[in-house]
């Protein structure tokens, strides 16, 4: 694809491990398949999988005004966030539309990493900092996450880092660590609900070494290569920014309302627009749907692009994503529809490659409930 698309420090290792497909994420190759979806799903849900997620680049914000800038960027309150802790934080533009949903890692009171989804948040942060006259440095450090995800990730982490380090690491806690002198930040996080860790490698020249070392220790836990898993994450209700939402979707519509704080004392980008939107009423909802008759579209899954969703012949939104669910034994998907069409039990029709499919809005997300508004 040429030099514009960057290779992760784990790239060669993933090729050696048999990667069969990539996506492009933050201008970087990111593996999406090793050619055996059923086995990759099993590995993730029953054992442990190793993911190159270096495409989750870090935007480092450091300096005296760092905390103030990060809060101004974030729709979620970061009050009380301290060194060694992280928070999932939606970021909006001035119109209150979602532009990224990073994990914010606080390294020190004046130093943060925004571990970003797929959009150029570094440019945004840099421009906002300059316009505000903030005393900060905004840059992309040499940091590349490698994830271990799955029920046996805990045991593997203990093997790699020791029971003491791992035992005291709560969810979204992180700590500086190393394996054989390879420097990294260990965080209990990751884009699955199977438990796991992310190893933020801080020396890009040692990616293959780290990959091999984790594979070696993981062998007795049945580790193998994997990738962020579309089936598991839709079952689990994790948002894929840019896949589930369009360019003008707000955090309430995407089910991220629980992580938006409109009642704080401070201002943040998009706050006024979001307050006005809440006043008017949120128009759409991200819903989980089940295919009623999955025999038709299975060949076309996962969905490559959104399809119109109809209710009584009227377009009421889009089916954004659809996958086979190994857990449920039928196809499931994510729709972004008008709220009136988002009531559980509503039956929508979608044309997928000439096959008319019926989908039903689920009464609950398949994993954790999505809350519309934050409690605090
Ligand atoms: N890890 C890191 N960076 C990332 C992701 C990641 N950047 C891009 C993308 N993923 C960001 N999106 C998410 C979405 C959900 C979660 C993390 C990143 C997540 N959510 C939990 C949940 O929904 O239950 C916890 C949220 C909370 O309680 O605060 O973990 O995966 N480094």
């Amino acid at each position: 694809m040429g030099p514009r698309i960057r290779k992760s420090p784990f790239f060669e290792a993933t090729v050696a491990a048999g990667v069969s497909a990539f996506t492009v994420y933050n201008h970087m190759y990111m593996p999406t398949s090793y050619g055996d979806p059923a086995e990759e799903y099993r590995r993730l849900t029953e054992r442990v999988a190793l993911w190159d997620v270096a495409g989750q680049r870090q935007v480092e914000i450091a300096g005296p005004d760092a905390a103030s800038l990060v809060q101004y960027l974030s729709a979620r309150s970061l009050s009380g966030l301290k060194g060694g802790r992280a928070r999932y934080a939606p970021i909006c533009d001035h119109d209150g539309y979602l532009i990224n949903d990073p994990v914010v890692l606080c390294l020190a009171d004046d130093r943060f990493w925004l571990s970003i989804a797929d959009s150029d948040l570094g440019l945004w942060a840099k421009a906002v900092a300059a316009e505000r006259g903030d005393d900060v440095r905004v840059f992309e450090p040499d940091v590349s996450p490698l994830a271990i995800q799955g029920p046996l990730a805990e045991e593997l982490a203990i093997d790699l880092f020791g029971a003491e380090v791992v035992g005291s690491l709560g969810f979204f806690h992180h700590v500086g660590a190393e394996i054989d002198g390879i420097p990294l930040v260990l965080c209990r996080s990751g884009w699955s609900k199977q438990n796991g860790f992310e190893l933020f490698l801080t020396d890009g020249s040692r990616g293959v070494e780290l990959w091999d070392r984790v594979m070696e220790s993981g062998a007795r836990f049945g580790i193998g290569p994997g990738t962020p898993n579309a089936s598991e994450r839709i079952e689990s209700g994790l948002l894929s920014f840019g896949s589930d939402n369009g360019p003008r979707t707000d955090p309430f519509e995407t089910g991220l309302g629980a992580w938006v704080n409109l009642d704080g004392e401070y201002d943040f980008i998009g706050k006024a627009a979001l307050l006005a939107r809440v006043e008017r009423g949120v128009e759409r909802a991200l819903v989980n749907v089940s295919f009623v008759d999955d025999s038709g579209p299975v060949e076309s899954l996962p969905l490559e692009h959104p399809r119109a969703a109809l209710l009584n012949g009227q377009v009421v939104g889009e089916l954004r994503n659809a996958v086979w669910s190994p857990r449920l034994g039928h196809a499931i998907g994510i729709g972004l529809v008008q709220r009136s069409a988002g009531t559980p039990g509503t039956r929508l029709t979608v044309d997928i490659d000439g096959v008319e499919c019926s989908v039903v809005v689920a009464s609950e997300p398949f994993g954790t409930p999505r809350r519309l508004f934050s409690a605090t």
Side-chain angles (χ1 to χ4, degrees):
M1 282 196 261
R4 268 191 317 104
I5 309 303
R6 305 180 285 177
K7 290 177 176 163
S8 106
F10 314 112
F11 181 84
E12 301 302 337
T14 65
V15 171
V19 64
S20 63
F22 289 99
T23 187
V24 174
Y25 199 87
N26 287 317
H27 313 278
M28 187 174 270
Y29 290 86
M30 191 159 78
T32 54
S33 178
Y34 287 81
D36 189 348
E39 171 56 17
E40 286 165 43
Y41 179 89
R42 256 197 313 276
R43 198 175 277 155
L44 168 62
T45 55
E46 295 172 17
R47 304 197 304 274
V48 54
L50 183 60
W51 300 356
D52 170 4
V53 283
Q56 297 168 355
R57 302 311 294 164
Q58 316 310 301
V59 175
E60 179 160 337
I61 301 182
D65 294 328
S68 153
L69 173 61
V70 175
Q71 180 60 87
Y72 185 60
L73 295 172
S74 165
R76 179 172 183 183
S77 168
L78 299 177
S79 134
L81 182 64
K82 53 180 191 198
R85 298 289 187 270
R87 224 168 260 180
Y88 178 47
I91 293 187
C92 295
D93 65 13
H94 297 81
D95 297 321
Y97 295 122
L98 198 64
I99 57 167
N100 208 297
D101 66 333
V103 176
V104 176
L105 289 87
C106 177
L107 300 156
D109 290 348
D110 59 354
R111 188 170 167 232
F112 299 82
W113 286 344
L114 275 50
S115 185
I116 63 173
D118 183 30
S119 75
D120 292 313
L121 201 74
L123 298 177
W124 177 261
K126 209 166 177 164
V128 172
E131 294 295 323
R132 275 168 38 109
D134 281 334
D135 184 2
V136 289
R137 287 204 309 135
V138 179
F139 62 101
E140 186 186 285
D142 175 8
V143 178
S144 299
L146 182 67
I148 53 174
Q149 298 287 302
L152 300 187
E154 178 93 16
E155 287 180 55
L156 171 56
I158 289 171
D159 206 73
L160 292 167
F161 302 102
E164 204 167 311
V165 169
V166 173
S168 59
L169 204 66
F171 183 61
F172 271 32
H173 292 196
H174 54 90
V175 64
E178 57 163 286
I179 303 176
D180 298 345
I182 305 170
L184 55 91
V185 170
L186 175 67
C187 186
R188 192 187 284 273
S189 54
W191 204 57
S192 85
K193 288 274 167 97
Q194 304 303 314
N195 295 328
F197 300 82
E198 291 177 302
L199 285 54
F200 291 75
L201 172 68
T202 54
D203 178 353
S205 71
R206 305 190 71 177
V208 173
E209 220 183 315
L210 178 61
W211 174 284
D212 289 344
R213 184 65 179 73
V214 176
M215 276 291 191
E216 198 184 294
S217 286
R220 67 189 181 92
F221 304 109
I223 201 171
T227 71
N229 190 286
S231 295
E232 193 277 341
R233 76 95 186 165
I234 292 178
E235 291 172 349
S236 294
L238 291 168
L239 182 79
S240 175
F241 173 82
S243 301
D244 297 345
N245 61 308
R248 288 161 59 83
T249 314
D250 76 37
F252 299 118
E253 293 172 331
T254 51
L256 298 187
W259 294 288
V260 172
N261 299 104
L262 293 176
D263 45 11
E265 298 289 300
Y266 56 90
D267 194 20
F268 64 84
I269 297 178
K271 186 177 185 180
L274 289 170
L275 281 167
R277 186 128 357 108
V278 168
E279 192 76 16
R280 277 201 313 274
V282 176
E283 281 164 27
R284 296 181 296 176
L286 200 72
V287 292
N288 291 80
V289 298
S290 283
F291 281 71
V292 176
D293 173 10
D294 49 55
S295 55
V298 167
E299 304 283 286
S300 321
L301 303 183
L303 216 57
E304 287 271 299
H305 59 89
R307 313 294 158 96
L310 285 78
L311 175 62
N312 303 325
Q314 301 285 316
V315 176
V316 290
E318 293 178 317
L319 181 70
R320 298 284 317 181
N321 262 305
V323 291
W324 177 256
S325 166
R327 170 143 73 89
L328 299 167
H330 58 77
I332 59 174
I334 293 188
L336 185 59
V337 299
Q338 289 168 16
R339 294 218 44 203
S340 55
T343 315
T346 306
R347 185 182 279 243
L348 306 170
T349 55
V350 184
D351 183 318
I352 299 180
D353 302 343
V355 180
E356 178 146 311
C357 304
S358 280
V359 299
V360 173
V361 176
S363 60
E364 282 266 292
F366 303 113
T368 47
R370 292 177 191 284
R371 288 154 291 176
L372 244 192
F373 297 105
S374 78
T376 50

